[in-house]
Amino acid sequence: MTTASLTIHSPAGPVRATAAPRQADAVVFELGGAMRGSVHVTGTVHPHHWDQFTAVRACLGPVNAFQTTAPDDALPRLARSGTGYRGSLTLYRDNTDRPDVSVHPLRSAADHPPSKKTEAVLTAVLRACAENVTQRADLPAILEASRQRDTPGLLRFLTWSATHHQAQAERLEREARAVIPARKAAETAWRTAARRLALCPHPVLMLMLADREDSLTRTIRVLQWQAPYCANAADEERECTRRAEAEITSLRAQQRKTPHNRPAALVSTPWHRRNRRSEVGSPSQQRHYY
C-alpha cells in the first residue's frame, strides 16, 4: 500500500513529507513543517553487490544528486534557517536481512558540515522517505527503471575496474618475484660484512649491520615481509577482478531479460512484508561507482 504523506518526528519538530506522483524511476517528497524543500528517492544498487538493484537512495533536493546537482536555492533547509544541505542516504538489507543505511556526507551549500542536531534531522527525514518508498506496491517498477538507467554506467566502470585490478595484480606479482633475488643479495652482503667485522672491526661495518635506517639489517627485514605482502595484495586484486567480472556478467544477463521476465529479487515481496520474516531470524542471502 502506498502512503501519500507521512509525519516524521525529528529533533527540530515534526516534518511533513508528501509524495508527488511517481516519476519513471523516482518519487519526490515535498517537505513542510520543521523542514522546507524536497527529497528525491530512487532505486539503486546494493552497496556491496553492484549487480543487485535492491536498495533505495534518498537525496536532499528535487533531483537525483548522483546524476545532476540541484541549485543552492532548491536544497532542503530547516524552516527557520536559510542554509540548504546536500547529501544522500542509501537504505538496503544487510547479510542478516535487516535494514541498514549508508549515509553520503551531508554538507551545506557552502560545503560545511551540519550541526549534530541538523544532521539528525536530515538523516531522519532521508530515512523516513526511503523507508516509505520500500513499502510502495510499485517498488519493483522503480528498481527496474533504476536498473535500466544505471546499468550502462555501471558496465563502463566495472570494465575499467576489472582491467585496473588485473594490472595491479600483475604489478604486485612482479614486485613479489623481484624481492627474492634482492633479499638473497642483501643477505649475502650482510654475511660478508659480518665476516669482515669479525676480522677487522670498523665503524662503517658496524653501521651496515646495526638495526637502523638504510642498514643491511633493516633492508633484509623489509624484504622479508615485502614478498608475502605483495603476494597477498596481488591475491586481493585478483579477487576484485573476479568480482567485477562476475558483476559484469550478471548485469549483462539482466539486460537481456524482458520486463516480463525480471529477476525475482526485483519483484519479490515488498520490504514492509519481508520485515516480519526478518524479525524472526529469516536469513537472506559497498562501493559506489558515481
Side-chain angles (χ1 to χ4, degrees), residues 216-234:
L216 284 172
T217 298
R218 186 69 60 86
T219 298
I220 292 170
R221 287 186 176 178
V222 170
L223 293 173
Q224 283 175 336
W225 64 258
Q226 189 173 358
Y229 170 83
C230 289
N232 290 337

Side-chain angles (χ1 to χ4, degrees), residues 22 40 91 96 125 198 227 238 244 256 276 280 284:
R22 177 174 67 86
H40 183 285
L91 178 63
T96 65
V125 170
R238 290 203 179 279
R256 291 191 293 269
R276 298 171 188 162
V280 294
S284 169

Side-chain angles (χ1 to χ4, degrees), residues 100-129:
D100 200 357
V101 296
S102 173
V103 180
H104 197 74
L106 304 174
R107 308 288 292 185
S108 71
D111 200 31
H112 299 304
S115 67
K116 289 186 177 180
K117 178 180 177 181
T118 300
E119 181 179 11
V121 175
L122 298 174
T123 302
V125 170
L126 287 171
R127 178 156 190 165
C129 292

